[in-house]
Amino acid sequence: MDSTRDATLDSLVASGQRPLGLKIGGSTELTLLKADGSEHPVHPLWLRERCRDAASMDVKTQQRLQDPSDFDLDLRLLMVSQPSAGVYRVRFSDGHEATFAAADLLAEAALAPNSHDCPAPRLWDGTLADLPRVQWRADPAANELLAWLEAFLTLGFVIFEGVPTTPGSVLEVGALFGFTRATNFGPLFNVRSTPDATDLAYTAVSLDPHTDNPYRTPVPGIQLLHCLVNETHGGLSTLADGFAVAQALREQHRAAFDILASTPVRFKYIDADTELTASVPPIELDVTGALKAIHFSPRLDFVPLFAPERLDAYFRARRLFDQRLRAPDFQIRFLLGPGDLVMFDNCRLLHGRTSFDPAEGPRHLQGCYIDIDGPRSLYRVLRRRRGGAADVRRSA
Ligand code: OGA
Ligand code: ZN
């Protein structure tokens, strides 16, 4: 995480330190205790917004009944007491009284500003040996599904084996994890070498590491590619962890990282009925400076005409980034055989393929996209049903 931005964010939790506990400070203050011994008063409005009683919140939907902008900006705590262990009772200066579970407040306070409350990404490089390969089942048990989701959320991909090679199966797999995102290519797309291809993916040429559809807003979050037939020797699938490559650049070539994170690149797709463009930086950061998404497609990127010095720096930085993406240090390769399906995070991972000779035999994949937030939602729901949130790592 970028320390400069982090400091300006001024978050109690940005340091990554989990709060240890709460205590009453002089009966009109609730105070958060941190591991380094520091104490931080909890803002009265932050607390007021978290009242969970029936007057403040619709209990069923957990949605607030009042507009919190109407709360008194000078709100104070008139009285804080601890009626029993782990429970705090608070009287606010607007007359409202509420009870809080310390565990709830501590869990909320521990959430980092960019937290998804899900397993954190575990960055990987070309030495990744144990690929997350699992046997597909249309009706997995909850624990099995949780394990698949955990692999997907940490590594950014999972390979299912034994997916029926019936056309359209990819949509069924996708539907288990999220809502399908149809595009101008349809709800699913066929990847095979065809004459009159509308995209280079539909030829036999190799595809360098790329993210799909950077010209769309928003980009399709997750991609699934399902192999129905592969009778060629080529056409190996490639994957690289764009977050790992960006992180390496950040550590080794800071100026290159900065220019890739701050240059809006125009991506463009055009065919007879469609014309899409989007301007995004190849490395997209969130407001805390953490990696948010990679947008990279050497077939489709067009940088605006900046001053020569800036362009010079940009082209050098792009080369550094691309060289790493293509190098075995960061890239893994594997063959998708019939029935194999790879599902990957299109905001984090870059994918590609080696070339193949269509004269050897057919190669036919079917692909689809689903929204980025499906697997995270499913993960939280399964964890809630299992009844144990505490043992799951939170993303920083
Ligand atoms: C694609 C793509 C890879 C492959 O269709 O977007 O990258 O293995 N295909 O053909
Ligand atoms: Zn692609």
Side-chain angles (χ1 to χ4, degrees):
M1 190 172 284
D2 183 281
S3 54
T4 349
R5 283 179 189 234
D6 216 12
T8 58
L9 201 68
D10 192 24
S11 166
L12 269 184
V13 288
S15 63
Q17 267 184 35
R18 293 178 74 86
L20 285 182
L22 287 162
K23 72 168 202 183
I24 297 174
S27 86
T28 57
E29 208 168 73
L30 195 59
T31 305
L32 197 65
L33 307 174
K34 287 182 66 179
D36 61 5
S38 58
E39 299 186 3
H40 305 267
V42 177
H43 196 292
L45 273 175
W46 187 91
L47 208 53
R48 183 71 175 85
E49 289 185 355
R50 279 159 182 76
C51 291
R52 302 172 74 93
D53 54 278
S56 306
M57 184 175 272
D58 177 57
V59 178
K60 190 156 163 273
T61 60
Q62 297 194 26
Q63 291 172 18
R64 216 180 273 127
L65 293 169
Q66 291 148 293
D67 186 330
S69 302
D70 293 337
F71 291 143
D72 178 7
L73 289 176
D74 299 317
L75 194 77
R76 287 169 298 115
L77 309 189
L78 294 184
M79 179 73 183
V80 186
S81 60
Q82 195 174 10
S84 58
V87 176
Y88 290 94
R89 181 92 188 144
V90 175
R91 179 143 48 87
F92 294 92
S93 56
D94 63 1
H96 191 72
E97 285 196 40
T99 303
F100 296 94
D104 287 347
L105 292 180
L106 288 173
E108 184 90 14
L111 288 178
N114 53 2
S115 172
H116 291 295
D117 193 17
C118 273
R122 202 165 73 235
L123 305 190
W124 52 266
D125 60 20
T127 62
L128 183 72
D130 275 337
L131 301 194
R133 288 183 180 274
V134 299
Q135 184 62 33
W136 167 252
R137 294 206 299 156
D139 54 350
N143 274 348
E144 201 171 9
L145 191 48
L146 262 174
W148 296 354
L149 289 163
E150 181 131 6
F152 175 78
L153 293 169
T154 53
L155 296 172
F157 75 108
V158 61
I159 301 169
F160 295 106
E161 297 175 346
V163 178
T165 52
T166 336
S169 294
V170 69
L171 290 173
E172 281 170 41
V173 177
L176 180 66
F177 295 100
F179 295 108
T180 307
R181 168 86 188 281
T183 68
N184 56 298
F185 298 116
L188 68 72
F189 47 89
N190 287 289
V191 185
R192 60 187 154 198
S193 168
T194 51
D196 298 329
T198 54
D199 190 295
L200 278 183
Y202 308 151
T203 69
V205 301
S206 68
L207 299 176
D208 276 340
H210 62 279
T211 57
D212 259 25
N213 295 199
Y215 44 76
R216 251 179 245 288
T217 312
V219 294
I222 295 167
Q223 181 170 181
L224 291 84
L225 284 173
H226 177 212
C227 177
L228 299 181
V229 185
N230 189 1
E231 291 174 13
T232 76
H233 288 92
L236 294 182
S237 301
T238 67
L239 285 178
D241 185 348
F243 281 10
V245 178
Q247 189 56 33
L249 220 57
R250 180 178 241 170
E251 285 159 14
Q252 295 155 11
H253 298 275
R254 183 61 200 230
F257 174 89
D258 286 343
I259 197 148
L260 292 177
S262 61
T263 303
V265 174
R266 197 173 305 117
F267 293 95
K268 189 170 162 86
Y269 175 87
I270 184 157
D271 70 17
D273 307 311
T274 312
E275 189 162 335
L276 297 164
T277 69
S279 286
V280 277
I283 298 177
E284 186 182 348
L285 305 179
D286 71 14
V287 289
T288 72
L291 296 168
K292 183 173 180 194
I294 305 294
H295 307 285
F296 197 81
S297 186
R299 289 174 276 150
L300 308 165
D301 63 327
F302 296 94
V303 66
L305 184 56
F306 292 123
E309 311 76 53
R310 181 168 178 189
L311 284 181
D312 205 42
Y314 167 76
F315 290 131
R316 282 167 198 279
R318 184 183 62 180
R319 173 178 290 191
L320 280 178
F321 194 49
D322 202 13
Q323 276 173 342
R324 280 165 180 69
L325 289 169
R326 285 187 284 180
D329 313 23
F330 280 101
Q331 198 184 95
I332 57 166
R333 291 184 172 197
F334 52 93
L335 183 74
L336 281 185
D340 291 344
L341 183 153
V342 60
M343 175 169 96
F344 54 90
D345 182 340
N346 188 48
C347 295
R348 169 180 164 193
L349 265 50
L350 294 94
H351 66 285
R353 67 153 186 251
T354 62
S355 64
F356 59 95
D357 178 3
E360 271 187 329
R363 177 183 188 270
H364 182 191
L365 311 186
Q366 285 194 322
C368 74
Y369 304 111
I370 60 171
D371 287 337
I372 188 78
D373 51 4
R376 291 197 189 112
S377 168
L378 184 57
Y379 181 85
R380 293 187 200 103
V381 170
L382 292 172
R383 189 184 55 182
R384 170 154 44 92
R385 288 194 190 138
R386 197 185 58 182
D391 58 335
V392 176
R393 277 165 287 138
R394 291 169 191 283
S395 67

